[in-house]
Amino acid sequence: MDLSTYYPSVVTALIIAPLGFYLKYRMKNFATRHDFKNAITQLKKSTKVVEGIKNQLNEKYWVKQQIWDAKRTAYEEILNSLYLTRKYINREKSYTEDYFECYVVLGAGCMSGDEEYMNSYAEYVESERNLLHEKYDSEEAVKKRKELSEDTHESYVKLETIFNVKGLYLDPDIKGIESSLADLREEIFNTKFSERQDEDTEAFLERVMVHNNQCLEVVDNIILKTKELAANDLLLAAD
């Protein structure tokens, strides 16, 4: 049997088979590289999108933080003014009550008795009144009272800016606080007391003390309302 006739087929098979395997390997390798390049391209695109989202979130957080800080600062300044007002009212309240004690209560404390006792009591009353005037009417005391009054007035001037500018960031109910503060300021600084013809010193001082207590109650209520408003507003702003 002559095998020479099969040589071309054998040779062809020996050449084509490795070539086919090689081509298959090259095509697979090419496809792998192509997929890898696509994966890299997609990764770059995804990274760019993620970075864009991250930047947007950072920008939104920054804006949100600025608004929160503006709210916090505004509420702090409002409360500082309220506590300063409370301090001023308490000072006026203490003065009136101490004056009432020295000139009304002590003044009526000894209406009768032997001369020695009455003289001793009169000296005691006089010493208490001197202490009262030293406490409230000395140069240093008058200076401190003036400073407290000026600081309180100045705080109200600052509040006008807060309500007009920073009020845009605050809870709408802050308008009620602003209105209550305006009424309170009017009561504290523009209410003038003088002894009426139909009242004695005791009745006059009692009227002043009632007014001071009412103002103190009002400012305490405003402080409480402002704290509640600030807590809710800042909590919502932080969400």
Side-chain angles (χ1 to χ4, degrees), residues 5-229:
T5 58
Y6 295 99
Y7 287 164
S9 298
V10 172
V11 171
T12 300
L14 291 173
I15 294 174
I16 294 300
L19 180 61
F21 177 79
Y22 173 75
L23 290 174
K24 182 179 180 182
Y25 172 79
R26 291 288 295 175
M27 290 299 293
K28 182 179 180 181
N29 194 33
F30 175 78
T32 301
R33 287 202 305 272
H34 181 70
D35 291 343
F36 180 73
K37 288 181 179 179
N38 284 340
I40 292 297
T41 302
Q42 290 299 322
L43 180 61
K44 288 181 179 179
K45 289 181 179 179
S46 298
T47 302
K48 188 175 181 180
V49 171
V50 170
E51 287 297 325
I53 294 173
K54 183 179 178 181
N55 290 335
Q56 289 178 6
L57 290 175
N58 287 338
E59 183 177 344
K60 289 181 179 179
Y61 174 79
W62 183 85
V63 172
K64 192 174 184 179
Q65 184 64 37
Q66 295 304 305
I67 294 175
W68 191 91
D69 286 340
K71 286 176 177 285
R72 177 185 58 80
T73 301
Y75 283 119
E76 284 180 352
E77 291 176 347
I78 293 171
L79 285 170
N80 285 337
S81 179
L82 286 168
Y83 280 116
L84 193 59
T85 301
R86 193 180 194 282
K87 183 178 180 180
Y88 179 83
I89 296 172
N90 268 325
R91 192 271 175 199
E92 297 301 305
K93 180 175 180 289
S94 296
Y95 172 74
T96 306
E97 290 174 350
D98 289 350
Y99 192 93
F100 184 87
E101 179 71 20
C102 283
Y103 283 88
V104 176
V105 177
L106 293 182
C110 183
M111 303 301 295
S112 62
D114 59 56
E115 184 177 354
E116 182 179 355
Y117 174 76
M118 292 184 66
N119 289 337
S120 176
Y121 187 81
E123 290 178 1
Y124 165 70
V125 171
E126 185 66 21
S127 66
E128 288 298 307
R129 290 176 178 175
N130 288 336
L131 289 174
L132 172 72
H133 291 296
E134 182 180 346
K135 180 179 179 180
Y136 292 105
D137 298 331
S138 66
E139 183 177 347
E140 182 65 21
V142 171
K143 179 182 177 182
K144 287 183 178 181
R145 182 177 184 275
K146 182 180 178 182
E147 289 176 350
L148 179 58
S149 177
E150 290 175 348
D151 289 344
T152 306
H153 275 286
E154 185 178 346
S155 73
Y156 279 111
V157 174
K158 290 180 180 179
L159 283 183
E160 292 180 3
T161 302
I162 293 173
F163 288 128
N164 291 332
V165 180
K166 294 184 179 180
L168 298 172
Y169 304 106
L170 305 181
D171 189 292
D173 287 344
I174 199 66
K175 288 295 182 182
I177 301 295
E178 181 181 8
S179 177
S180 297
L181 268 173
D183 293 340
L184 179 62
R185 179 173 57 181
E186 184 72 20
E187 284 293 324
I188 295 173
F189 296 108
N190 295 332
T191 300
K192 305 299 181 183
F193 286 98
S194 60
E195 195 169 322
R196 298 167 181 166
Q197 292 183 351
D198 60 341
E199 66 181 359
D200 55 16
T201 301
E202 180 178 355
F204 166 70
L205 292 176
E206 286 178 343
R207 183 159 56 89
V208 175
M209 286 189 291
V210 168
H211 176 266
N212 289 335
N213 286 328
Q214 288 174 341
C215 288
L216 192 60
E217 183 178 354
V218 170
V219 75
D220 283 341
N221 288 334
I222 298 176
I223 288 173
L224 181 61
K225 177 64 176 177
T226 303
K227 284 183 175 180
E228 292 175 349
L229 203 63

